[in-house]
Amino acid sequence: MNLRDHATRVVVLRVLRDAVEAEYRAERCAVLDGLRAARAELALKSMRVTMPDDTPIATLTLIDPQPTVVVADEDAFTAWTAANHPGEVETLVRVRSAWQREFFARLACSGPVADPRTGEVVPGLTVAPAPEPRSFSLRPVPGGTERVARAWRTGEIDLRGLLALDGGET
């Protein structure tokens, strides 16, 4: 293969890669929307993905974010920390971020936020509800990747139908 052939391959592969990436992002958004709707309607969190002949190739699973403790009232939390953990308050009169992360990691994300050591409700903190899932995992089943590749090679998967390249006018 000469330089011209390599250059042509690079251009063609780049165009195909960009088209595949754009289609992938769009399909991923559509699947995420569909999984969210299925969760709301049917309490479905995962689904098995199959080839047209029902051969399993992957499992899609919504990734549920966890609720997190957040500072709802900075002044109240800072005052509580200064009174109960004075060494963890900076001279700027704010809670050290490293200690805050460590402290939050020990807190339960339900009900009123309480100090796990004393049980005292910590003023200025609240639990933020978990947001909607923003992603899902895709785990090929054993042999699933090979099955997709084989279906592509044999023409069972219509790549032209899956990936319609929109050519611009020149």
Side-chain angles (χ1 to χ4, degrees):
M1 206 181 285
N2 62 30
L3 177 58
R4 182 183 195 131
D5 293 337
H6 284 293
T8 300
R9 280 178 52 87
V10 164
V11 171
V12 169
L13 291 171
R14 169 72 183 267
V15 168
L16 291 173
R17 182 199 69 190
D18 291 350
V20 166
E21 182 63 28
E23 289 293 321
Y24 175 75
R25 276 192 241 110
E27 286 301 317
R28 192 168 172 85
C29 286
V31 167
L32 181 57
D33 290 345
L35 285 171
R36 285 177 178 161
R39 157 71 71 74
E41 194 174 314
L42 308 168
L44 177 78
K45 180 177 176 160
S46 291
M47 68 177 285
R48 179 147 284 189
V49 182
T50 63
M51 294 295 291
D53 68 357
D54 289 330
T55 302
I57 55 172
T59 301
L60 300 181
T61 305
L62 277 174
I63 298 172
D64 289 321
Q66 297 298 311
T68 57
V69 173
V70 295
V71 176
D73 182 337
E74 183 75 35
D75 293 336
F77 178 57
T78 300
W80 177 86
T81 303
N84 291 280
H85 303 276
E88 302 301 338
V89 179
E90 298 174 328
T91 56
L92 296 173
V93 191
R94 69 177 180 202
V95 178
R96 284 187 325 107
S97 59
W99 180 83
Q100 181 175 317
R101 278 190 306 276
E102 178 186 306
F103 182 68
F104 282 15
R106 296 190 312 254
L107 299 176
C109 289
S110 61
V113 179
D115 183 337
R117 189 172 47 86
T118 66
E120 172 191 6
V121 173
V122 181
L125 297 183
T126 190
V127 175
E132 282 290 310
R134 295 187 326 243
S135 189
F136 60 88
S137 67
L138 185 160
R139 291 190 192 102
V141 299
T145 302
E146 294 80 8
R147 177 69 178 103
V148 171
R150 186 170 45 256
W152 179 15
R153 282 193 305 273
T154 63
E156 186 180 337
I157 292 176
D158 176 17
L159 190 55
R160 288 178 194 224
L162 283 175
L163 181 63
L165 291 177
D166 292 330
E169 293 192 8
T170 58

